[in-house]
Amino acid sequence: MRASGLILSLTLLAGCGGGGGTGSPAGLTPANIDDGLNGLPVSDPTLLPVSGRAEYNGYMRARLPTGPDGARVEHLGDLRLDVNFAAAFDQIRGEASGFEARDAIPLDGTLAITKGNIYRDTDPTAAYSFDGDVDGTLRQGTTPYRIDASIEGEFLGTGQTAVSGLLFGDVTGPEGLDVFDGSFAGTRRAD
């Protein structure tokens, strides 16, 4: 899915609710983050900076099998991504935490985002310009959900003012191994 389809999907997801998350920096909410993404072009990967850093704050959505009999429930959490444009590898790191679902028990724990790579030679109409690993354990009460996942995303705007993308991977919970998906978006923190 490319930028216009992703932005449409994120906008539709924003209307789907999910209770918590993103009471984070500057009162960011999925709705005002998504509003800020509308109309932003995908950053040209060949023009991405080769020096400097950026921090992005926003949200991560994950449709996890935490409902009765493993039914999928959409959880919303706070996202922070740190980008080191000058690094040779492991350019993107961060975390997502504070996951909640509407009318559901919050998920305790943090997902670590590591091993993120930027792809400056990619075709932005065919592939994303960065990826990363997402790992950790979230707990609903005493029930653990082990996450082994990935993100794929892109920078938006001529000054990389935002990021957005997809989340997908495996989750191991009381019903065993399952797959899940989600999305994320964030805006760049002012330097």
Side-chain angles (χ1 to χ4, degrees), residues 37-53:
L37 298 182
N38 284 332
L40 283 179
V42 174
S43 301
D44 182 343
T46 63
L47 300 178
L48 291 174
V50 293
S51 64
R53 295 176 177 264

Side-chain angles (χ1 to χ4, degrees), residues 43-50 118-124 129 160:
S43 301
D44 182 343
T46 63
L47 300 178
L48 291 174
V50 293
I118 297 173
Y119 302 102
R120 290 182 169 84
D121 59 351
T122 193
D123 175 357
S129 57
Q160 301 80 48

Side-chain angles (χ1 to χ4, degrees), residues 109-121:
T110 299
L111 300 179
I113 300 165
T114 59
K115 301 178 185 171
N117 293 302
I118 297 173
Y119 302 102
R120 290 182 169 84
D121 59 351

Side-chain angles (χ1 to χ4, degrees), residues 64 70 72 74 85 99 108 112 131 134 151-152 157 176 184 187:
L64 298 169
R72 296 195 186 287
E74 185 174 279
F85 290 106
F99 285 91
D108 295 322
D131 64 12
V134 180
I151 57 169
E152 291 188 357
F184 68 92
T187 56

Side-chain angles (χ1 to χ4, degrees), residues 67-93:
D69 297 322
R72 296 195 186 287
V73 176
E74 185 174 279
H75 294 271
L76 179 66
D78 298 320
L79 172 72
R80 191 195 83 244
L81 283 181
D82 297 310
V83 180
N84 182 349
F85 290 106
F89 58 90
D90 205 14
Q91 297 139 322
I92 298 174
R93 301 180 70 78

